[in-house]
Amino acid sequence: MSDHTEKAVSSAEEAAEEAEMIKEAGQSVSRNSKHLIHCLTVIGQIEGHYVLSEQNKTTKYEHIIPALVAIEQDRSVEGLLIILNTVGGDVEAGLAIAELIAGMKTPTVSLVVGGGHSIGVPLAVSAKRSFIVPTASMTIHPVRMNGTVLGVPQTLSYFEKMQDRIVSFITRNSRIPEEELRRLTMNTGELVLDVGTVLEGEKAVELGLIDSLGSLGDAMDSLYGMIENTDKRYAD
């Protein structure tokens, strides 16, 4: 087989792999660009230990976690853009993904479009810099649990500890004060059938939850700047 044929086959295989990656996991890698950026989308409901209905649009944590590991160790990938439009979902799965993103050496930027609700809030702030479009919104509310719940003190203690973990993560990775975050979480005057607060893009930035108001171009500019001003994450 000639070199030209081998290159053509290799390019075809790469294109097929990328198409499959976009279809199955909502991920893509830019090729003909100034910097090699991996785009990761977190959409619909975050699926954790339980498989959701086929009618639900989901982001599966068993897809996202290996992808993050691959991105972190791939020397050719220079940055990660995370685009969020999520209603939330499994708390522990979402928090696990957020912790992995926060611990990456790869330059990371998040962009909230549509919504970054519930456990989507920690995911949004987990990147090194976060953006939100003006029309997006974020819902902050206490931890919930579906199904049978035992009415014992241990259950309340579990909820309190889980809430503390989420609050601690958000305040460590954003500029919002803990007291303000807890006030928004327990607000009883805004949601009709729930406790919590809905923040639109500008308000989320004003409170220090999200770094900047902006859209795709702003997020890409920030990511490019980060790449160009950051040392290589691994020594040769």
Side-chain angles (χ1 to χ4, degrees):
M1 188 180 291
S2 67
D3 289 344
H4 180 74
T5 305
E6 286 179 355
K7 288 180 181 178
V9 171
S10 176
S11 297
E13 288 176 349
E14 286 181 3
E17 287 176 4
E18 186 168 346
E20 184 66 18
M21 189 165 60
I22 294 171
K23 178 183 176 182
E24 294 297 327
Q27 301 174 46
S28 67
V29 180
S30 57
R31 299 293 177 187
N32 186 24
S33 58
K34 185 178 180 182
H35 295 289
L36 192 64
I37 305 299
H38 190 109
C39 176
L40 180 71
T41 57
V42 179
I43 58 174
Q45 193 164 349
I46 298 163
E47 186 177 274
H49 304 303
Y50 298 97
V51 178
L52 299 175
S53 165
E54 291 184 358
Q55 281 70 43
N56 290 28
K57 179 71 72 175
T58 63
T59 295
K60 302 178 186 296
Y61 85 128
E62 67 268 28
H63 289 171
I64 300 297
I65 290 175
L68 293 175
V69 175
I71 293 163
E72 181 72 347
Q73 68 176 339
D74 190 340
R75 292 170 183 263
S76 68
V77 176
E78 298 176 85
L80 172 62
L81 175 65
I82 306 142
I83 299 180
L84 296 107
N85 186 7
T86 176
V87 295
D90 188 288
V91 174
E92 288 192 341
L95 196 55
I97 295 169
E99 286 281 14
L100 287 178
I101 295 171
M104 295 177 75
K105 293 181 179 179
T106 305
T108 54
V109 170
S110 66
L111 174 62
V112 181
V113 294
H117 305 294
S118 190
I119 200 62
V121 176
L123 286 166
V125 304
S126 65
K128 292 176 175 60
R129 186 162 182 82
S130 57
F131 287 82
I132 186 170
V133 299
T135 56
S137 61
M138 306 180 78
T139 304
I140 302 171
H141 62 71
V143 174
R144 303 190 189 104
M145 181 177 286
N146 295 326
T148 303
V149 178
L150 297 177
V152 294
Q154 291 90 333
T155 301
L156 179 59
S157 175
Y158 170 81
F159 279 117
E160 288 178 345
K161 288 177 180 178
M162 177 61 78
Q163 190 64 51
D164 288 344
R165 287 161 59 191
I166 294 170
V167 168
S168 173
F169 182 87
I170 294 172
T171 53
R172 277 189 286 113
N173 291 278
S174 70
R175 295 177 289 105
I176 190 169
E178 181 177 336
E179 298 78 11
E180 180 66 12
L181 180 59
R182 290 190 182 275
R183 185 191 68 79
L184 295 170
T185 301
M186 302 308 295
N187 180 17
T188 59
E190 182 165 335
L191 303 177
V192 177
L193 298 175
D194 202 352
V195 176
T197 305
V198 179
L199 301 176
E200 294 182 351
E202 190 171 345
K203 190 65 176 178
V205 175
E206 181 185 323
L207 292 172
L209 185 62
I210 298 296
D211 293 322
S212 303
L213 201 66
S215 191
L216 182 58
D218 304 296
M220 292 301 298
D221 285 345
S222 177
L223 188 54
Y224 274 26
M226 203 180 298
I227 292 167
E228 291 162 4
N229 292 287
T230 302
D231 294 332
K232 290 183 178 179
R233 56 187 184 271
Y234 297 115
D236 293 331

